[in-house]
Amino acid sequence: MISKRWAAFLVGVGVWTWVIWPRFGVAIWNDDRSFADGAPTSFLWVHAVLIVASLTIGTVVGVLGVRAWRHK
């Protein structure tokens, strides 16, 4: 078992992930390097994969934090 403090930290990391990464996604989408002749570039695809992976990890960490908090 983990402490309530660590559980709260994990929830905070999950929330932080969902606050930061979508905004970063908008910035990447609007970047001139994201599209060439109307088609997505590797710049966009690489960042899209990073954003999806980070949101997935953040979600898992947040859910684990909530479950740990409720377990006590």
Side-chain angles (χ1 to χ4, degrees):
M1 273 192 263
I2 64 173
S3 68
K4 287 256 191 189
R5 183 176 293 177
W6 277 110
F9 174 76
L10 293 176
V11 171
V13 169
V15 169
W16 176 257
T17 299
W18 277 95
V19 168
I20 294 302
W21 283 102
R23 176 64 191 109
F24 183 69
V26 170
I28 293 299
W29 184 268
N30 292 327
D31 194 296
D32 293 337
R33 298 170 287 180
S34 293
F35 295 95
D37 300 323
T41 63
S42 57
F43 175 83
L44 178 66
W45 285 113
V46 165
H47 285 89
V49 168
L50 289 172
I51 291 166
V52 169
S54 294
L55 288 173
T56 302
I57 293 167
T59 300
V60 169
V61 167
V63 167
L64 290 173
V66 169
R67 290 180 68 190
W69 183 273
R70 293 176 66 196
H71 184 69
K72 290 248 174 189

